Each structure stands twice: as C-alpha cells, then as structure tokens.
Amino acid sequence: MSEIRVPFFRASLGEAEKKAVCEVIDSLWLTTGKVTQGFEEDFKAFIGAKYAFAVNSNSSGMILAMDACGVRAGKAVITTPYTFVSTAACAVHLGAEVRFADIEKDSYSIDPDKIEDILRADTKHEICAIVPVHIGGNLCDMEKICTLAKKYSTPQNKIYVIEDAAHSFPSKTARGYAGILGDVGVFSFYVTKTITTGEGGMVTTNDVALAKRMQTMRMHGMDRTTWDRYTSPRASWEYDIVECGFKFNLPDILSALGREQLKRAQLFFDQRKKIVARYNEAFKDCDFLHLPPDGEGNAWHLYLVRIVPEKLDCDRNTFARELQENGIGISMHFIALFNFSYWQKRYPNFTAQHFPHAAEHTDNTITLPLWPEMTDEMTELVISTVKRIGEKHRKKGI
C-alpha cells in the first residue's frame, strides 16, 4: 500500500489546547474537578440543555442514559442495526433485549415506520426506550420518533427517546440542538469526532429526575463528588453510597481539551461544510455514486458515499482498497450488526435479509476524509482519485 497522502481524519489541536492541559497539570488536580464542571456548564449553555454530565465515553454515557430510563432485565430497546456496536451492547450490559428496525431506503437513519411496526406487533417485550442514531451527523426524524414514543407509552410503561448523538454535534434544527430533541442525548468526543477530548463524551437532558439518577450513577452511586469531598470544609470521608453506580467520570485533563475545542466548534463546522460543498459539486454528476443524505441540522461529521453496483465492474471493497493504494485514507460507517458473530449467536434470526436497506448500505458505503484542516490540495486529490477509480471500473456501455 502506498503512503497515505490524505489521512482519514486528523484532530485540530493547537496552542490553546496545549496551554489548557498544562494548566491542569500545573494545578495538580487531574481527575474530575472544576475544569470538568466548567466544561459541563459551557456545553449545556451551547446546546440549551438544563443538565449536562461529562463522561469518559459515549458508551458510558449511553449506559447512564439507559439505566436512568429504566432499561434492565425484562425490558427491551429499539435501535438500528446500522450503528457502532456500543449502541446495542449497552442495553445488553444492563440485561435488556434489543429489537432492531431497518434504516430508510435513501438515508442512514432508522425508519420510523419500522419502529412502529415493532411497537405495534411486539407483545413479548416491554419496550422502554427507542434509540435513534444520527449517522454521520444527519439527524433522524425526531418529531416522528418522539410522537411514536408518546403514542405507545402507557401509565405503567413510559417509552423514552435516547439520542445516540455521537456524530451530531453541533446539529441544530428549528426545535433546538440534537441532544435535547428526545429525553436524553449522548455525545462522543472520541478523537475522530467534531470536537475531541481524545476519549470522552457528554450526556444531556432537560428532565430533572433523569439528571439526578445519571449524576449519582456516574460516580459509584456516591452522594458527593470528588471535588466536593476534597475541597469543601466537610470531611472527605463523610459520604454515602446510595446506589450501585459506575465509574464513568471525565477527568479535568481531558475536559481542558474539550473546553478549548468547544470554543472553536462553529469554526470547525464551517470548515467541514466548505469541504462538503466541494465534494458535492465535484461528485454531483458521478452516476456511479450516491451522495450523502442532507437534512435539517446536518453536522457533517462524516461524508458517506455509496457506490452504485449496477454502474461498476467492482465491489465496494475493491473500490476502497484502490483508494487506499492511491494514498487516500478511508473508513467504513458502518458494518451492520447482523454481520458479527456475537449478534448472530444472540439472535439467530438476526440476518441481512430482514434488513435490506442496512444490508445494501453496509455493502456499498465508503467514508471519505473530512476534517477541518484538510487543504485544498488534499480535497482535490480525494476528488480526482474517486473519479479516476470510478471511471476505470465503469461497466462498458454504461
């Protein structure tokens, strides 16, 4: 394989991030403290949430959110098979079952009609949460999904909507930012995300009861934070364990990165949109590609293209390998969960034939490089390489 000339992703970090991290190191307070509290305040102000809790990963945040929404043994959640494994695995960790709904034909978003099919027909499981995933930053139809949750809730069983918002910061619609469109939003600050803390995430909600539960469960079920225990006059050993909680907190040394990244979130977004515009213009007449869906509030975290097999004499994997061989760093978002042995063993009837749209997208999607500081030369190299490979493999007579 040739040297990668355009990386799939490169984090945009500068002197401000270095300075902020060094200040935390100099303070000698490295775990969760006032910097993390500041990050939470900044983030909830940015998206308009009443509550925000920094966590050490999106997966940790998803477990906190699901736990607060009553996901446990004897319950079930509905989500999409077209997602990263943690979305569904978090429900399993809490003892619940997972019901899968296919994605829409022309997007990567979970299909609300398929959600309703499950809600209407499933009498075996008590469904307590719907987990839409905003793939690539393009938002699911949250209005329909939230309406379904209310329609099928009962006095005995409320159905919550938990947004897997790992890809969707800073997505904004007329109703507000992603993360507060449902009952809970769970963000990721992994290194490839739109802002990064290296590892980390944030959970947001406007519901006080959910907030209290998540705040307690985030740190061992303790009734006092570490910062309070070691900085207030009250003795540090005077605390109670009120629940059997987790260890999901984000330390200050990572929150320092997040606070600086958040200041540049809009700049990063604007830079990504410029690259997207160049991609869209360059590829609009390439009949061997389906361009990414683009709805209201798209954060453009990823640029997903689908090859059109009928136009080409190669499959997606061949196309992808040739991109890499020509120095273009690419990825795949996502390999649908029914392709993995664990999920096949857990649900023997969980097969591609039941999810035709997720199967087709899995087989044909390639994720192209998209990051704020890509140069014009890099962008043009991606464009020219994609076009050259597409023309090379165009079926004769088409």
Side-chain angles (χ1 to χ4, degrees):
M1 182 181 295
S2 67
E3 179 183 358
I4 294 296
R5 299 164 66 188
V6 184
F8 171 66
F9 186 84
R10 184 179 289 163
S12 299
L13 301 171
E15 292 303 316
E17 285 86 356
K18 291 180 184 178
K19 182 175 182 291
V21 170
C22 287
E23 287 176 352
V24 172
I25 293 172
D26 290 342
S27 78
L28 301 181
W29 185 278
L30 305 184
T31 188
T32 305
K34 65 179 181 179
V35 177
T36 299
Q37 291 175 0
F39 185 28
E40 292 170 341
E41 291 295 321
D42 295 345
F43 195 85
K44 71 183 184 182
F46 191 108
I47 72 166
K50 291 182 180 178
Y51 308 98
F53 304 107
V55 288
N56 55 22
S57 71
N58 171 273
S59 299
S60 297
M62 190 61 66
I63 290 175
L64 284 181
M66 288 185 179
D67 167 82
C69 292
V71 177
R72 59 183 182 273
K75 300 280 190 173
V77 305
I78 299 173
T79 193
T80 167
Y82 201 89
T83 184
F84 188 61
V85 63
S86 63
T87 310
C90 291
V92 173
H93 287 317
L94 292 169
E97 295 298 327
V98 185
R99 298 299 317 278
F100 294 100
D102 201 3
I103 59 176
E104 296 170 325
K105 183 179 186 298
D106 295 318
S107 84
Y108 295 84
S109 298
I110 192 169
D111 187 338
D113 292 337
K114 299 299 183 184
I115 293 174
E116 184 160 28
D117 288 345
I118 295 172
L119 290 169
R120 185 186 297 116
D122 193 335
T123 58
K124 181 179 179 181
H125 304 97
E126 189 169 49
I127 294 165
C128 61
I130 302 169
V131 189
V133 184
H134 303 311
I135 303 293
N138 191 50
L139 301 186
C140 300
D141 191 334
M142 292 301 297
E143 186 170 357
K144 281 188 178 179
I145 292 169
C146 291
T147 297
L148 287 173
K150 291 178 182 178
K151 177 180 177 180
Y152 287 92
S153 290
T154 67
Q156 296 76 34
N157 182 61
K158 174 178 170 61
I159 299 174
Y160 291 90
V161 177
I162 303 171
E163 295 176 75
D164 187 334
H167 291 186
S168 58
F169 181 76
S171 295
K172 187 179 183 181
T173 73
R175 297 176 58 221
Y177 280 92
I180 57 172
L181 302 177
D183 296 289
V184 190
V186 188
F187 295 88
S188 173
F189 304 138
Y190 181 65
V191 67
T192 61
K193 297 303 187 288
T194 54
I195 65 170
T196 185
T197 57
E199 297 279 358
M202 192 77 72
V203 188
T204 56
T205 187
N206 288 329
D207 185 306
V208 63
L210 297 179
K212 287 180 178 178
R213 174 73 179 184
M214 291 189 292
Q215 184 176 41
T216 299
M217 296 298 287
R218 178 177 56 167
M219 191 64 175
H220 300 299
M222 194 178 295
D223 67 349
R224 293 178 66 192
T225 67
T226 303
W227 178 252
D228 176 66
R229 287 170 56 217
Y230 287 97
T231 60
S232 76
R234 182 181 169 195
S236 64
W237 60 87
E238 292 180 356
Y239 63 86
D240 189 17
I241 302 297
V242 296
E243 295 285 354
C244 186
F246 307 102
K247 180 71 166 66
F248 289 162
N249 57 301
L250 188 71
D252 275 12
I253 201 165
L254 298 185
S255 293
L257 284 174
R259 294 192 81 178
E260 294 303 321
Q261 290 272 290
L262 187 60
K263 294 174 184 177
R264 294 195 286 157
Q266 187 61 47
L267 172 63
F268 293 158
F269 182 38
D270 292 341
Q271 290 172 320
R272 287 196 310 277
K273 284 194 294 183
K274 289 179 181 179
I275 297 166
V276 167
R278 292 182 67 182
Y279 278 164
N280 285 344
E281 179 63 25
F283 296 142
K284 68 181 182 181
D285 295 324
C286 294
D287 62 354
F288 56 85
L289 292 178
H290 291 296
L291 300 192
D294 182 16
E296 182 189 10
N298 196 340
W300 287 113
H301 165 49
L302 300 174
Y303 194 86
L304 307 169
V305 294
R306 280 187 292 140
I307 66 166
V308 180
E310 296 79 13
K311 300 287 185 179
L312 301 171
D313 65 10
C314 71
D315 62 10
R316 186 276 311 276
N317 289 352
T318 299
F319 202 113
R321 277 194 295 269
E322 292 193 18
L323 283 170
Q324 291 179 314
E325 289 165 359
N326 282 273
I328 308 301
I330 54 90
S331 190
M332 308 291 182
H333 294 82
F334 284 105
I335 302 170
L337 299 187
F338 47 71
N339 290 283
F340 295 117
S341 57
Y342 169 81
W343 295 99
Q344 292 167 358
K345 287 185 292 185
R346 185 176 181 90
Y347 299 115
N349 294 323
F350 186 33
T351 62
Q353 67 180 354
H354 296 105
F355 306 93
H357 301 148
E360 188 274 331
H361 284 50
T362 295
D363 290 345
N364 295 317
T365 295
I366 301 172
T367 313
L368 298 179
L370 176 60
W371 37 280
E373 294 172 358
M374 280 179 65
T375 64
D376 291 345
E377 292 76 16
M378 288 178 173
T379 305
E380 287 305 314
L381 183 59
V382 174
I383 290 168
S384 62
T385 306
V386 169
K387 286 185 170 181
R388 187 174 69 252
I389 294 171
E391 292 303 325
K392 170 187 171 183
H393 287 286
R394 181 183 294 280
K395 287 180 180 178
K396 300 297 184 288
I398 295 180

